[in-house]
Amino acid sequence: MARITASVFTSHVPAIGAALDLGKTQEPYWQALFAGYEYSKEWMTQNTPDVIFLVFNDHATAFSLDMIPTFAIGTAAQYTPADEGWGPRPVPMVQGHPELAAHIAQSVIQQDFDLTIVNKMDVDHGLTVPLSLMCGQPHAWPCPVIPFAVNVVQYPVPSGQRCFNLGKAIAKAVNSFDADLNVHIWGTGGMSHQLQGPRAGLINKEFDNAFLDRLIADPAGLAQMPHIDYVREAGSEGIELVMWLIARGAMSDISGGAAPQVKHRFYHVPASNTAVGHLILENI
Ligand code: DHB
Ligand code: FE
């Protein structure tokens, strides 16, 4: 049977991708940030999964305002890194896992979540930057990836509670796939940031650290936080954090298992306009 063995949580700032691609990781501004992912890259090589289920948000790249799916699962065999205005990032193509993705779509839709099926999609920094942070600059990504896009860009956005419940449904779907696969689930985006309006530049370290504490120890309580609290406390783009609840909801303790082990925790300000947060949790 397939099994979710770990969850990874990380911010996805586009400037991080540019710093990597342009060889700036050792510059004073970036050094401390990339140092925080050294453990993670080592952990990825020691714990390479068979598949990553990567929860991210598209930033009006693949989906414009013409069409806005709340939850979209990638069922394609391959995904091309998107051109976000400066040419595509020089990163590998993303290989998909159509069989597992189709199974998860079937199971999760039958568990009453409406997913959009996506057979063709270019993937933006929301997906490629987390892969770069966790895997460095390889010629090929270490395993297939199932992209799972969540609308946190155009209101109305899904609630934390719905995301958390969806995570549970995804875990159930993975556990019923009839092949011996080691699956990681990643929740990406966040932490506090606001890119526009009078509060542009907002960072809330207290909120972010409390969010990390509660994501680890009180995820069901955290799931009840209404979206307006994200916006007030973490800024308009802080709402990206609801995606972390999908990954957290898929961990075993939410469905009666033991609490996960915290393998790594990192927090750093600033990275562009964003506070960067990062966690690795392992199921026992
Ligand atoms: C920044 C952060 C984001 O999450 C994003 O999608 C775009 C830009 C930033 O901090 O610059
Ligand atoms: Fe973003």
Side-chain angles (χ1 to χ4, degrees):
M1 284 304 167
R3 209 172 91 75
I4 293 176
T5 57
S7 53
V8 171
F9 306 84
T10 181
S11 307
H12 68 208
V13 195
I16 292 175
L20 260 163
D21 301 342
L22 300 171
K24 295 185 173 184
T25 58
Q26 293 316 306
E27 288 188 0
Y29 182 86
W30 291 110
Q31 209 172 14
L33 180 131
F34 286 103
Y37 286 83
E38 281 305 313
Y39 172 90
S40 316
K41 286 191 289 178
E42 180 58 27
W43 177 86
M44 269 302 282
T45 63
Q46 304 291 322
N47 297 275
T48 310
D50 298 309
V51 187
I52 297 167
F53 188 92
L54 205 159
V55 180
F56 77 111
N57 71 290
D58 176 75
H59 299 76
T61 306
F63 307 120
S64 69
L65 293 185
D66 289 348
M67 224 182 287
I68 308 161
T70 302
F71 299 119
I73 186 164
T75 45
Q78 275 197 330
Y79 306 90
T80 305
D83 182 348
E84 297 180 63
W86 295 270
R89 289 191 59 214
V91 293
M93 286 286 286
V94 176
Q95 305 301 323
H97 199 302
E99 297 79 15
L100 179 59
H103 171 82
I104 293 173
Q106 158 76 20
S107 169
V108 168
I109 289 171
Q110 287 298 319
Q111 292 178 71
D112 301 337
F113 286 91
D114 303 319
L115 305 186
T116 299
I117 309 298
V118 181
N119 291 312
K120 189 174 188 314
M121 165 167 65
D122 288 354
V123 286
D124 75 9
H125 69 272
L127 185 129
T128 62
V129 167
L131 281 173
S132 295
L133 281 168
M134 294 300 293
C135 309
Q137 296 172 292
H139 291 297
W141 299 121
C143 66
V145 174
I146 298 175
F148 190 89
V150 179
N151 170 39
V152 286
V153 167
Q154 177 64 39
Y155 281 81
V157 298
S159 68
Q161 185 66 61
R162 184 151 177 80
C163 289
F164 190 61
N165 294 344
L166 173 59
K168 272 194 255 188
I170 290 166
K172 194 170 167 187
V174 169
N175 290 337
S176 64
F177 187 65
D178 193 12
D180 200 12
L181 293 180
N182 172 353
V183 180
H184 286 181
I185 184 161
W186 293 12
T188 65
M191 296 199 86
S192 59
H193 61 305
Q194 171 143 346
L195 302 177
Q196 64 227 308
R199 295 202 308 164
L202 176 147
I203 301 279
N204 185 343
K205 289 186 189 175
E206 226 168 72
F207 172 90
D208 289 336
N209 282 292
F211 187 92
L212 292 170
D213 290 342
R214 293 187 75 192
L215 191 75
I216 294 166
D218 178 28
L222 183 61
Q224 291 174 19
M225 182 164 72
H227 88 266
I228 192 66
D229 288 8
Y230 287 87
V231 178
R232 274 197 196 110
E233 299 292 330
S236 52
E237 276 66 49
I239 191 66
E240 288 179 344
L241 282 168
V242 291
M243 295 186 288
W244 294 31
L245 286 163
I246 297 179
R248 187 64 183 89
M251 294 300 279
S252 316
D253 60 328
I254 309 306
S255 305
Q261 215 181 343
V262 181
K263 299 300 285 187
H264 187 50
R265 176 173 175 162
F266 177 64
Y267 183 73
H268 178 80
V269 177
S272 187
N273 304 294
T274 310
V276 165
H278 175 37
L279 273 180
I280 299 176
L281 304 182
E282 273 181 19
N283 276 333
I284 307 176

PDB file of all heavy atoms in Angstrom, residues 12-14 57 59 125-126 189-190 193 195 237 240, ligand 2:
ATOM      1  N   HIS A  12       7.633  30.091  -0.498  1.00  0.00           N
ATOM      2  CA  HIS A  12       7.965  29.885  -1.926  1.00  0.00           C
ATOM      3  C   HIS A  12       8.422  31.155  -2.657  1.00  0.00           C
ATOM      4  O   HIS A  12       8.283  31.253  -3.880  1.00  0.00           O
ATOM      5  CB  HIS A  12       6.755  29.266  -2.647  1.00  0.00           C
ATOM      6  CG  HIS A  12       5.569  30.173  -2.762  1.00  0.00           C
ATOM      7  ND1 HIS A  12       4.286  29.690  -2.844  1.00  0.00           N
ATOM      8  CD2 HIS A  12       5.439  31.509  -2.814  1.00  0.00           C
ATOM      9  CE1 HIS A  12       3.435  30.705  -2.934  1.00  0.00           C
ATOM     10  NE2 HIS A  12       4.117  31.818  -2.927  1.00  0.00           N
ATOM     11  N   VAL A  13       8.942  32.109  -1.937  1.00  0.00           N
ATOM     12  CA  VAL A  13       9.320  33.425  -2.502  1.00  0.00           C
ATOM     13  C   VAL A  13      10.046  33.336  -3.864  1.00  0.00           C
ATOM     14  O   VAL A  13      11.066  32.655  -3.972  1.00  0.00           O
ATOM     15  CB  VAL A  13      10.279  34.142  -1.518  1.00  0.00           C
ATOM     16  CG1 VAL A  13      10.394  35.610  -1.879  1.00  0.00           C
ATOM     17  CG2 VAL A  13       9.835  33.945  -0.084  1.00  0.00           C
ATOM     18  N   PRO A  14       9.558  34.024  -4.902  1.00  0.00           N
ATOM     19  CA  PRO A  14      10.204  33.948  -6.216  1.00  0.00           C
ATOM     20  C   PRO A  14      11.662  34.413  -6.201  1.00  0.00           C
ATOM     21  O   PRO A  14      12.501  33.866  -6.930  1.00  0.00           O
ATOM     22  CB  PRO A  14       9.360  34.859  -7.111  1.00  0.00           C
ATOM     23  CG  PRO A  14       8.345  35.507  -6.244  1.00  0.00           C
ATOM     24  CD  PRO A  14       8.312  34.821  -4.935  1.00  0.00           C
ATOM     25  N   ASN A  57       0.182  27.159  -4.663  1.00  0.00           N
ATOM     26  CA  ASN A  57      -0.758  27.997  -5.396  1.00  0.00           C
ATOM     27  C   ASN A  57      -0.113  28.562  -6.641  1.00  0.00           C
ATOM     28  O   ASN A  57       1.061  28.914  -6.658  1.00  0.00           O
ATOM     29  CB  ASN A  57      -1.353  29.107  -4.528  1.00  0.00           C
ATOM     30  CG  ASN A  57      -0.362  30.197  -4.175  1.00  0.00           C
ATOM     31  OD1 ASN A  57       0.564  29.976  -3.407  1.00  0.00           O
ATOM     32  ND2 ASN A  57      -0.556  31.376  -4.738  1.00  0.00           N
ATOM     33  N   HIS A  59       0.036  31.575  -9.310  1.00  0.00           N
ATOM     34  CA  HIS A  59      -0.106  33.029  -9.137  1.00  0.00           C
ATOM     35  C   HIS A  59      -0.577  33.660 -10.448  1.00  0.00           C
ATOM     36  O   HIS A  59       0.151  34.438 -11.076  1.00  0.00           O
ATOM     37  CB  HIS A  59       1.216  33.637  -8.698  1.00  0.00           C
ATOM     38  CG  HIS A  59       1.731  33.125  -7.382  1.00  0.00           C
ATOM     39  ND1 HIS A  59       2.310  31.884  -7.241  1.00  0.00           N
ATOM     40  CD2 HIS A  59       1.757  33.688  -6.160  1.00  0.00           C
ATOM     41  CE1 HIS A  59       2.663  31.714  -5.974  1.00  0.00           C
ATOM     42  NE2 HIS A  59       2.343  32.778  -5.299  1.00  0.00           N
ATOM     43  N   HIS A 125       6.555  29.667  -9.671  1.00  0.00           N
ATOM     44  CA  HIS A 125       7.454  29.619  -8.510  1.00  0.00           C
ATOM     45  C   HIS A 125       6.820  28.949  -7.294  1.00  0.00           C
ATOM     46  O   HIS A 125       7.534  28.442  -6.433  1.00  0.00           O
ATOM     47  CB  HIS A 125       7.934  31.038  -8.148  1.00  0.00           C
ATOM     48  CG  HIS A 125       6.866  31.938  -7.596  1.00  0.00           C
ATOM     49  ND1 HIS A 125       6.054  32.719  -8.393  1.00  0.00           N
ATOM     50  CD2 HIS A 125       6.463  32.186  -6.321  1.00  0.00           C
ATOM     51  CE1 HIS A 125       5.211  33.399  -7.638  1.00  0.00           C
ATOM     52  NE2 HIS A 125       5.431  33.101  -6.377  1.00  0.00           N
ATOM     53  N   GLY A 126       5.487  28.947  -7.239  1.00  0.00           N
ATOM     54  CA  GLY A 126       4.805  28.296  -6.116  1.00  0.00           C
ATOM     55  C   GLY A 126       5.206  26.837  -5.991  1.00  0.00           C
ATOM     56  O   GLY A 126       5.262  26.282  -4.883  1.00  0.00           O
ATOM     57  N   GLY A 189       3.961  27.991   0.434  1.00  0.00           N
ATOM     58  CA  GLY A 189       3.449  29.361   0.482  1.00  0.00           C
ATOM     59  C   GLY A 189       3.678  29.990   1.847  1.00  0.00           C
ATOM     60  O   GLY A 189       4.351  29.407   2.686  1.00  0.00           O
ATOM     61  N   GLY A 190       3.065  31.175   2.069  1.00  0.00           N
ATOM     62  CA  GLY A 190       3.265  31.850   3.349  1.00  0.00           C
ATOM     63  C   GLY A 190       4.713  32.296   3.514  1.00  0.00           C
ATOM     64  O   GLY A 190       5.480  32.251   2.573  1.00  0.00           O
ATOM     65  N   HIS A 193       3.005  37.870   4.777  1.00  0.00           N
ATOM     66  CA  HIS A 193       3.437  38.871   3.809  1.00  0.00           C
ATOM     67  C   HIS A 193       2.240  39.546   3.153  1.00  0.00           C
ATOM     68  O   HIS A 193       1.175  38.961   3.040  1.00  0.00           O
ATOM     69  CB  HIS A 193       4.403  38.324   2.753  1.00  0.00           C
ATOM     70  CG  HIS A 193       3.931  37.216   1.848  1.00  0.00           C
ATOM     71  ND1 HIS A 193       3.414  36.022   2.283  1.00  0.00           N
ATOM     72  CD2 HIS A 193       3.946  37.120   0.491  1.00  0.00           C
ATOM     73  CE1 HIS A 193       3.147  35.242   1.240  1.00  0.00           C
ATOM     74  NE2 HIS A 193       3.447  35.887   0.134  1.00  0.00           N
ATOM     75  N   LEU A 195       1.819  42.094  -0.303  1.00  0.00           N
ATOM     76  CA  LEU A 195       2.574  42.663  -1.429  1.00  0.00           C
ATOM     77  C   LEU A 195       1.963  43.953  -1.960  1.00  0.00           C
ATOM     78  O   LEU A 195       2.498  44.553  -2.876  1.00  0.00           O
ATOM     79  CB  LEU A 195       2.663  41.634  -2.560  1.00  0.00           C
ATOM     80  CG  LEU A 195       3.308  40.282  -2.194  1.00  0.00           C
ATOM     81  CD1 LEU A 195       3.280  39.331  -3.382  1.00  0.00           C
ATOM     82  CD2 LEU A 195       4.736  40.469  -1.697  1.00  0.00           C
ATOM     83  N   GLU A 237      -1.382  38.264   1.562  1.00  0.00           N
ATOM     84  CA  GLU A 237      -0.800  37.046   0.979  1.00  0.00           C
ATOM     85  C   GLU A 237      -0.514  35.975   2.040  1.00  0.00           C
ATOM     86  O   GLU A 237      -0.171  34.841   1.713  1.00  0.00           O
ATOM     87  CB  GLU A 237       0.481  37.375   0.201  1.00  0.00           C
ATOM     88  CG  GLU A 237       0.212  37.832  -1.230  1.00  0.00           C
ATOM     89  CD  GLU A 237      -0.529  39.153  -1.315  1.00  0.00           C
ATOM     90  OE1 GLU A 237      -0.133  40.123  -0.642  1.00  0.00           O
ATOM     91  OE2 GLU A 237      -1.536  39.215  -2.038  1.00  0.00           O
ATOM     92  N   GLU A 240      -1.964  32.379   2.027  1.00  0.00           N
ATOM     93  CA  GLU A 240      -1.333  31.185   1.435  1.00  0.00           C
ATOM     94  C   GLU A 240      -1.142  30.089   2.487  1.00  0.00           C
ATOM     95  O   GLU A 240      -1.059  28.903   2.149  1.00  0.00           O
ATOM     96  CB  GLU A 240       0.027  31.545   0.811  1.00  0.00           C
ATOM     97  CG  GLU A 240      -0.088  32.355  -0.466  1.00  0.00           C
ATOM     98  CD  GLU A 240       1.262  32.741  -1.090  1.00  0.00           C
ATOM     99  OE1 GLU A 240       2.307  32.661  -0.406  1.00  0.00           O
ATOM    100  OE2 GLU A 240       1.264  33.124  -2.269  1.00  0.00           O
TER     101      GLU A 240
HETATM  102 FE    FE B   2       2.984  33.504  -3.315  1.00  0.00          FE
END
